[in-house]
Amino acid sequence: MTHGQALNPHVAVVTRFAPSPTGRLHAGHGASAIAAHDFARSRGGRFVLRIEDIDGTRSRREHVDAILADLRWLGLTWDGPVLFQSQHLAAYDAALDTLRDKRLLYPCFCTRKEIAREVAESMAAPHHGPDGPVYPGTCRSLTPEARAAGIATRPHCWRLDMAKASVLAGPLEWTDHGQGVRADPQAHGDVVLARKDAPASYHLAVTIDDAAQGVSDIIRGKDLYPATHVHRLLQALLGLPVPRYHHHALVTDARGERLAKRNGAPSLESLRLAGTDGAAVAAELRAGRVPLGIADTTP
Ligand code: GLU
């Protein structure tokens, strides 16, 4: 049985910012990047960058360029080369093989529609996880023949057999702001680790890459707190080091809603191109204030 290894406290601090280039950054992203950057710099550590472009259909090079320009404009510097997930696919494949060898993965042929129908028709009350109803496990019990036939002919993703994986890993903990948290990955059900349309899911890629980049401390928004339970389990299954986590509150607008494009939050790029002083914007975000022009997104 493998448990993730406890992090050596003497290892230098390494933090990261890991945006998905599926849109432009807003002030919430900026605040998160600054928090991770400052955490490392104030401890003599390294700050690394990763572009989470695993989603080939939604990721765009123009977003990558804007993201890098925005970070520079905020006055942030990063260490070493930027890791692009699209160039790290072999590592995800190897991890999937490891998990397959442990018989912890199964192919799933269900469409979204089929899953929704199954959940709706389920006699038992559907089990809700942090991301909505959990997968009802339809494909978990397929025969080896049905699996083999499906793999050859039908689109499929690969899911983690959560119950099996949790038993194999045993009880797990992680820390958030230094507080011990008992991992509860089961609430997520059989999560997808390799998507139909992408070679790895967020959960798998983020866990592998945080280890690959030697990240000691993960500073990111509270919206990703629930996902950490799954990441902790994957660390144990793959024998990866366990970073310390520091989830932070999300930046909200004048209405108290979290910043998002759909809520009308302006992009950092629009401020940059309008000639706004990036250092001044960064100073406001460091002070926990939402800079003028960002705070008021009332239509
Ligand atoms: N790529 C994710 C996002 O942009 C962040 C991943 C993470 O910080 O773990 O939402």
Side-chain angles (χ1 to χ4, degrees):
M1 199 186 304
T2 13
H3 291 273
Q5 307 135 22
L7 202 74
N8 180 342
H10 304 296
V11 167
V13 164
V14 181
T15 65
R16 49 70 157 180
F17 181 55
S20 306
T22 54
R24 301 297 208 252
L25 300 183
H26 54 59
H29 298 114
S32 196
I34 289 170
H37 170 274
D38 292 0
F39 186 100
R41 294 289 183 244
S42 64
R43 290 164 177 79
R46 303 176 69 239
F47 172 64
V48 300
L49 214 55
R50 177 165 77 240
I51 298 294
E52 302 213 321
D53 56 351
I54 199 80
D55 187 337
T57 55
R58 294 174 60 222
S59 298
R60 300 254 181 289
R61 181 69 223 191
E62 62 188 76
H63 295 317
V64 175
D65 295 340
I67 288 169
L68 299 184
D70 289 344
L71 296 177
R72 287 194 194 98
W73 171 73
L74 288 172
L76 304 188
T77 53
W78 53 90
D79 299 298
V82 178
L83 176 70
F84 285 80
Q85 290 192 324
S86 58
Q87 290 165 22
H88 208 212
L89 305 186
Y92 314 139
D93 275 349
L96 290 166
D97 282 345
T98 302
L99 297 173
R100 246 181 239 116
D101 288 349
K102 292 177 191 270
R103 308 222 174 284
L104 295 176
L105 298 189
Y106 64 86
C108 171
F109 309 99
C110 297
T111 60
R112 270 172 209 271
K113 249 192 189 160
E114 283 165 347
I115 296 174
R117 196 184 325 126
E118 183 94 12
V119 166
E121 287 171 1
S122 150
M123 299 296 282
H127 179 54
H128 278 263
D131 302 322
V134 303
Y135 177 64
T138 323
C139 287
R140 197 191 305 125
S141 51
L142 291 181
T143 61
E145 294 73 27
R147 281 185 186 173
I151 288 172
T153 56
R154 297 169 62 191
H156 55 279
C157 66
W158 288 88
R159 290 184 181 273
L160 183 68
D161 186 327
M162 184 57 84
K164 240 184 182 178
S166 300
V167 169
L168 184 67
L172 299 169
E173 280 214 349
W174 48 282
T175 63
D176 194 64
H177 295 282
Q179 297 291 314
V181 182
R182 176 184 272 262
D184 180 22
Q186 301 240 30
H188 290 256
D190 292 354
V191 288
V192 171
L193 294 190
R195 289 164 41 170
K196 273 182 193 166
D197 59 346
S201 69
Y202 159 68
H203 290 311
L204 183 70
V206 82
T207 304
I208 289 175
D209 289 340
D210 281 331
Q213 291 188 288
V215 176
S216 65
D217 292 84
I218 295 183
I219 289 103
R220 64 181 175 193
K222 268 206 167 95
D223 52 328
L224 292 168
Y225 181 100
T228 310
H229 294 287
V230 176
H231 304 169
R232 179 66 190 88
L233 173 62
L234 292 174
Q235 287 152 6
L237 297 173
L238 296 167
L240 301 174
V242 184
R244 296 173 285 258
Y245 290 86
H246 313 262
H247 291 95
H248 59 72
L250 301 176
V251 176
T252 52
D253 65 17
R255 293 166 297 189
E257 283 180 44
R258 68 184 272 200
L259 296 188
K261 220 165 141 195
R262 64 177 181 283
N263 296 342
S267 65
L268 292 179
E269 182 189 49
S270 63
L271 300 173
R272 174 165 56 81
L273 296 181
T276 313
D277 180 2
V281 169
E284 288 292 290
L285 291 172
R286 282 192 172 97
R289 288 191 294 267
V290 185
L292 212 65
I294 294 178
D296 183 16
T297 59
T298 316

